Amino acid sequence: MPPTAGDLAGARAGAEAERVFIGAGCNRVVNNVSWGACGLVAFGAQNAVALFSPSRGEIVTTLPGHKAAVNCTLWLPTKKDVLQVRHRETHYLLSGSSDGAIMAWKIGSGKGEWSHALELPAMHKKGVTCLAGRMVSDTVSIFASTSSDGTVVIWEMAVEPTTSGSCKVSCLHSLSVGLKPMVSLSLAVLPEQEGRLILAMGGLDHKVHIYCGDLSGKFAKACELKGHSDWIRSLDFSLPVMMGSEKHSLFLVSSSQDKTIRIWKMTSDSISSSSMVQPRKENIGMASYIEGPLFVVGNASYQVSLESLLVGHEDWVYSVEWQPPMLLLNAEAHQPMSILSASMDKMMMIWRPEKTTGLWINSVTVGELSHSALGFYGGHWEPDGKSILAHGYGGFFHMWRDVGLDSENWQPQVVPSGHFAPVSDLTWSRSGEYLLTVSHDQTARIFAPWRSHVNPGDVISWREIARPQIHGHDINCVAFIQGTGNHRFVCGADEKVSRVFEATLSFLRTLQEATLLKPDNEDFDDVQVLGANMSALGLSQKPIYTHGGKESPSTTSNDGPDSMETIPDAVPTVFTEPPVEDQLAWHTLWPESHKLYGHGNELFSICCDHAGKLVASSCKAQSAPVAEIWLWEVGTWKAVGRLQSHNLTVTQMEFSSDNAFLLSVSRDRHLSIFSIKKTEEGAQHHLVTKHEAHKRIIWACSWNPFGYEFATGSRDKTVKIWCVQDASSVKLLATLPQFCDSVTALSWTGRDRACNAGIIAVGMDNGLIELWSVSGGRAASDVTSDPSALSVARMLRFDPLMCHVSTVHRLRWQKSDSSDEKSALELASCGADHCTRVFAVRDS
């Protein structure tokens, strides 16, 4: 068992960690995103629910709890519940996952304090695909959930009005919809009918099904709306609308994979009148409606008619949403007649009725230009209707805000970004000013703190500033080339080739804009490449040279839909503001300078020595010949060594701080130490020792930056600390108490060279991270002396709310020249939960 606080008496003082940055992409499913009345946007990022602040453009937290991917989210109160939102201090968030679980979360909107309210009873046997609800009073909400198991469940949430009050959720009713499940829902309160609800559901049978019920949750089918010729993907009710002298009408908008949008109008009439007789057909014109079914609820009947058919998108329309209502001075809610649609054709459109004819027309179109042929999964309004948000196939967000004064002018805004698949590796740049990550989403991304030009002392926001590689294979590993010269990195993917990339001049100048640091002259003098283009049919990124470009590098392509059909050349750009998704995808690529051929299988691990002279790489292997470690000479990029020791895949490698040794660990449960010496002809190497270190796969290793001690971490839930002895063997110095899960990542940083003190960061298979202090042992870089007693103690166990929710793949401490123990250290982590995180660690 891990030691308790009492076991650590006399150990080094503890530490505290602060969350600095979270980067994550959005799960690529419909209904995944919800923009709440509290101003925060919730979305699923693998098994976590992530929240971001649109005003800051940053992810503020992730909420752990789900055991499977999050499919859908819903805020209560919703944006439509404007009367209930006033003066409300607490908001609730519902999330549904692909294993059928639904969870409720509670937030104090002013303080941002989160708590896990409860997990709902398991009513669904398969994934939850959509949530829809409304508040029916200040303390009671009714919401519905649908699942691919063919059921729709009606729930009631009752909350205590106080800030510290709890919430109670009960299942009211379950509807079976047959073999063709529903994938979209919308719930509304019927006009002029106290306590009566209407539920619309659509799915695989191409029909919109209307159910009516009361607050007890008992719903009965009222009618079907036919017209769509493919799956119904989205439904949304408006608030009741007063049209001229008519009574209140309710509007329902539906979208489908048949590329069309339909607006249905529901007009009420009392039973006592002649409503059962077919209404008179007067004033027939272009804007007249097509009559649909009639249904009765309570003492009123409702005539459904097709108000409009909207045709404009060229692909499946995944999302439609009415503009949120506005609260008038007389405390009434006003429903704007405006609809936002999002489609796989990479477009979002705002539809409004024309003032003179009443015909619905497309008044605003925004879109994106991407390498993918697929577009948007959903579009959402800001509660005040000033901004619109899209999420799409690349796990990205797009946000546009209307900044016009006299007329509409929708401009792109900065939003969070990140990988949409497991993040496999990361590395800091040579000086630690930015972070490079690679992922199974087949991209490499650069994140950096962006400082304000106006007030450099303001809060620093981390942004994605470049996307140097867009590839055709999942990327598994990356290493930054140390030493001098231009910024370079080498990465390996699910292919047999390693690829080397060099920074562009436009990136170096953008980095200068972001960090406000004076560049080294060497950074700019020899860089002749301005940018890079993605070849249409290949995987190599071709350079754009400074003397060959005809276009101005200072201009940013802001073309809209007119240029969607063409594939434009990249326009290398020096960004003075954080780039948005379109710019990242097209204009920030780095050119590929070399390919390294040699391995027989997919690349798995890669590292560079601290002098920038040698690169070591390994691939997936099931035999000793394939498990060779290849050494490459930086510059000539020739293979200068093939190191044989392991029988299975080498999972991680690292050079010692003086580059004298190369440490490797493997699936074969052994560690190996190689002696490495760089020569003019290449490199001399020999195997110093091979040792069976753990009982299970060894996933991670890390050297002490001050000496020849190193740590290994394994699936057997242990971390062992070793030292190289007599330059010919290794000795076990300490075994840390067993952890709660497999150890998958390690990183050792130095704090005090005099007493050989440092910190080991430990990442686990369950996503948790711990920090352990290490001091004593042998003096720095002394191989011959006997090791003194090693002192090891746990400093900090990270709060699970700050940690990953799946396997931690890599931990890296930022390089720091400071030996001041009071200065903050930055720790970067990445994991299978699609997240990249940066923490600031300080002594408490």
Side-chain angles (χ1 to χ4, degrees):
M1 290 290 293
T4 62
D7 298 326
L8 303 179
R12 173 192 176 94
E16 57 185 23
E18 175 188 355
R19 181 171 46 231
V20 175
F21 165 70
I22 303 173
C26 182
N27 288 347
R28 302 187 293 170
V29 288
V30 188
N31 304 320
N32 186 33
V33 176
S34 179
W35 197 333
C38 60
L40 293 176
V41 175
F43 65 95
Q46 209 240 7
N47 297 355
V49 180
L51 302 170
F52 88 79
S53 167
S55 59
R56 290 160 48 189
E58 293 178 327
I59 298 176
V60 294
T61 192
T62 55
L63 306 176
H66 284 287
K67 296 179 176 63
V70 176
N71 283 343
C72 50
T73 56
L74 173 69
W75 287 95
L76 290 174
T78 69
K79 289 178 287 191
K80 291 183 170 57
D81 298 316
V82 289
L83 299 179
Q84 288 81 11
V85 168
R86 295 175 298 168
H87 315 301
R88 180 171 289 274
E89 295 183 356
T90 57
H91 292 254
Y92 286 86
L93 174 65
L94 299 166
S95 57
S97 63
S98 57
D99 61 358
I102 302 175
M103 291 190 175
W105 314 85
K106 177 182 175 183
I107 182 178
S109 57
K111 304 174 184 177
E113 295 176 352
W114 278 95
S115 64
H116 178 262
L118 73 159
E119 181 170 353
L120 275 60
M123 295 296 295
H124 292 295
K125 297 176 182 177
K126 293 184 180 179
V128 181
T129 55
C130 185
L131 294 166
R134 289 292 302 276
M135 294 201 72
V136 294
S137 71
D138 287 338
T139 58
V140 177
S141 304
I142 301 290
F143 66 94
S145 61
T146 183
S147 165
S148 48
D149 63 6
T151 61
V152 175
V153 180
I154 313 297
W155 308 82
E156 178 188 72
M157 174 186 281
V159 300
E160 296 179 11
T162 59
T163 307
S164 59
S166 60
C167 76
K168 180 182 178 183
V169 177
S170 53
C171 174
L172 299 180
H173 191 47
S174 179
L175 299 167
S176 177
V177 295
L179 297 177
K180 294 187 176 181
M182 299 294 127
V183 295
S184 55
L185 300 173
S186 185
L187 188 69
V189 179
L190 279 170
E192 302 173 7
Q193 291 273 336
E194 286 296 327
R196 296 281 185 173
L197 302 173
I198 183 169
L199 173 66
M201 56 179 78
L204 281 58
D205 63 355
H206 311 172
K207 303 172 187 175
V208 179
H209 301 264
I210 303 296
Y211 284 74
C212 294
D214 53 27
L215 299 185
S216 69
K218 302 298 182 186
F219 278 76
K221 190 167 184 177
C223 64
E224 293 177 352
L225 307 182
K226 300 177 182 179
H228 286 294
S229 58
D230 208 333
W231 290 11
I232 312 293
R233 297 310 308 230
S234 182
L235 296 164
D236 193 34
F237 276 112
S238 70
L239 257 59
V241 177
M242 181 76 80
M243 303 290 287
S245 59
E246 297 180 11
K247 292 189 175 184
H248 284 92
S249 298
L250 197 64
F251 287 90
L252 172 67
V253 61
S254 62
S255 69
S256 167
Q257 290 179 184
D258 65 9
K259 309 176 187 178
T260 66
I261 301 165
R262 290 173 180 259
I263 304 174
W264 311 87
K265 181 179 179 182
M266 301 177 184
T267 308
S268 66
D269 202 355
S270 61
I271 294 290
S272 57
S273 69
S274 58
S275 60
M276 290 302 188
V277 182
Q278 291 294 330
R280 290 173 296 172
K281 299 181 180 179
E282 298 177 355
N283 302 322
I284 296 177
M286 287 185 67
S288 65
Y289 51 75
I290 303 170
E291 291 177 5
L294 188 75
F295 62 93
V296 177
V297 180
N299 59 356
S301 64
Y302 291 84
Q303 174 69 57
V304 183
S305 55
L306 181 64
E307 172 75 7
S308 187
L309 172 64
L310 309 182
V311 180
H313 287 292
E314 298 176 358
D315 209 335
W316 296 356
V317 186
Y318 266 133
S319 167
V320 281
E321 184 177 296
W322 286 95
Q323 182 175 337
M326 298 179 291
L327 192 63
L328 303 179
L329 295 177
N330 59 357
E332 288 187 1
H334 168 66
Q335 173 66 64
M337 297 301 285
S338 182
I339 293 171
L340 175 69
S341 64
S343 167
M344 265 288 138
D345 64 4
K346 299 186 278 194
M347 302 280 193
M348 278 208 306
M349 297 181 180
I350 298 177
W351 306 82
R352 299 187 181 105
E354 198 180 30
K355 291 182 180 179
T356 53
T357 63
L359 290 175
W360 285 80
I361 59 170
N362 165 25
S363 61
V364 175
T365 301
V366 292
E368 68 129 13
L369 190 61
S370 73
H371 292 279
S372 170
L374 301 177
F376 298 149
Y377 279 119
H380 304 270
W381 290 96
E382 187 180 14
D384 64 3
K386 297 290 187 183
S387 300
I388 53 177
L389 177 76
H391 70 100
Y393 179 78
F396 52 72
F397 287 105
H398 283 282
M399 187 165 73
W400 289 269
R401 186 165 182 83
D402 182 11
V403 297
L405 298 176
D406 300 327
S407 60
E408 287 184 284
N409 180 16
W410 295 85
Q411 291 297 318
Q413 304 296 305
V414 175
V415 288
S417 65
H419 295 284
F420 59 86
V423 188
S424 48
D425 202 356
L426 58 78
T427 180
W428 290 95
S429 63
R430 289 182 310 217
S431 305
E433 67 266 64
Y434 62 85
L435 192 63
L436 172 67
T437 62
V438 296
S439 164
H440 291 172
D441 69 3
Q442 306 180 351
T443 65
R445 304 177 189 235
I446 289 176
F447 300 94
W450 193 286
R451 288 169 167 80
S452 168
H453 288 247
V454 181
N455 298 305
D458 281 359
V459 176
I460 299 168
S461 299
W462 280 71
R463 304 290 183 207
E464 184 180 350
I465 64 169
R467 202 166 293 170
Q469 188 182 11
I470 298 173
H471 199 45
H473 297 285
D474 296 359
I475 308 177
N476 297 324
C477 50
V478 67
F480 216 91
I481 307 300
Q482 304 301 314
T484 58
N486 191 14
H487 298 223
R488 292 175 292 177
F489 71 88
V490 56
C491 69
D494 274 347
E495 57 175 348
K496 301 174 184 180
V497 184
S498 303
R499 297 173 186 265
V500 183
F501 295 85
E502 296 200 14
T504 62
L505 191 60
S506 58
F507 168 78
L508 297 174
R509 298 197 184 280
T510 297
L511 183 65
Q512 184 184 352
E513 293 283 345
T515 59
L516 302 182
L517 298 176
K518 293 182 179 178
D520 297 329
N521 288 333
E522 65 180 23
D523 282 351
F524 293 92
D525 289 347
D526 299 326
V527 180
Q528 299 296 320
V529 177
L530 193 61
N533 263 324
M534 190 72 186
S535 56
L537 298 176
L539 297 177
S540 299
Q541 292 160 198
K542 306 299 183 185
I544 302 172
Y545 292 99
T546 51
H547 51 75
K550 297 180 181 179
E551 295 172 297
S552 170
S554 61
T555 59
T556 303
S557 174
N558 214 7
D559 294 340
D562 293 339
S563 62
M564 294 290 176
E565 295 301 321
T566 60
I567 301 177
D569 286 339
V571 182
T573 306
V574 179
F575 296 104
T576 56
E577 295 292 333
V580 295
E581 177 68 25
D582 281 357
Q583 297 164 334
L584 286 168
W586 285 99
H587 307 312
T588 62
L589 294 172
W590 289 16
E592 181 184 309
S593 60
H594 293 88
K595 295 183 181 71
L596 310 182
Y597 295 94
H599 286 291
N601 282 333
E602 300 94 332
L603 271 293
F604 194 84
S605 177
I606 204 160
C607 71
C608 179
D609 70 359
H610 301 280
K613 301 289 182 63
L614 292 172
V615 167
S617 62
S618 71
C619 70
K620 296 177 183 178
Q622 292 183 326
S623 63
V626 183
E628 288 179 327
I629 298 170
W630 285 58
L631 290 180
W632 310 86
E633 185 178 44
V634 174
T636 64
W637 297 111
K638 294 179 180 178
V640 293
R642 294 167 68 171
L643 284 55
Q644 295 184 349
S645 174
H646 295 287
N647 298 317
L648 296 174
T649 305
V650 174
T651 53
Q652 192 176 358
M653 302 171 291
E654 191 172 298
F655 284 90
S656 61
S657 57
D658 62 357
N659 302 320
F661 297 108
L662 173 65
L663 166 66
S664 63
V665 293
S666 167
R667 286 179 176 269
D668 63 13
R669 309 174 186 178
H670 287 72
L671 66 85
S672 296
I673 301 285
F674 298 92
S675 173
I676 307 290
K677 186 177 180 181
K678 182 74 176 70
T679 63
E680 291 184 3
E681 293 78 21
Q684 294 178 354
H685 56 84
H686 72 270
L687 178 64
V688 173
T689 184
K690 178 181 179 181
H691 187 77
E692 185 170 0
H694 290 268
K695 297 177 181 178
R696 303 291 299 276
I697 291 173
I698 308 175
W699 284 121
C701 63
S702 185
W703 284 97
N704 174 9
F706 295 150
Y708 289 134
E709 296 85 14
F710 60 90
T712 57
S714 165
R715 183 180 280 175
D716 64 12
K717 305 181 183 179
T718 62
V719 172
K720 296 182 179 181
I721 300 176
W722 313 76
C723 70
V724 180
Q725 199 170 28
D726 302 326
S728 61
S729 63
V730 294
K731 180 179 180 180
L732 179 63
L733 297 182
T735 301
L736 272 57
Q738 192 169 46
F739 291 85
C740 60
D741 209 341
S742 303
V743 175
T744 54
L746 291 174
S747 186
W748 193 331
T749 187
R751 290 299 269 162
D752 188 349
R753 185 178 291 272
C755 60
N756 199 27
I759 303 172
I760 299 178
V762 181
M764 287 168 268
D765 202 29
N766 57 10
L768 300 182
I769 299 172
E770 293 186 8
L771 300 183
W772 289 72
S773 66
V774 184
S775 60
R778 182 188 297 109
S781 302
D782 185 357
V783 184
T784 58
S785 65
D786 291 330
S788 59
L790 193 70
S791 173
V792 182
R794 185 174 64 235
M795 297 174 64
L796 179 65
R797 187 179 277 165
F798 280 34
D799 185 335
L801 275 173
M802 296 175 62
C803 293
H804 296 271
V805 297
S806 296
T807 307
V808 180
H809 281 156
R810 193 73 77 226
L811 293 167
R812 298 279 189 201
W813 291 100
Q814 184 186 35
K815 297 178 180 66
S816 174
D817 298 329
S818 172
S819 59
D820 181 9
E821 291 197 30
K822 295 183 179 178
S823 63
L825 291 171
E826 288 198 337
L827 174 67
S829 69
C830 65
D833 62 353
H834 310 178
C835 288
T836 303
R837 298 170 187 265
V838 178
F839 307 95
V841 178
R842 296 178 176 84
D843 290 337
S844 58

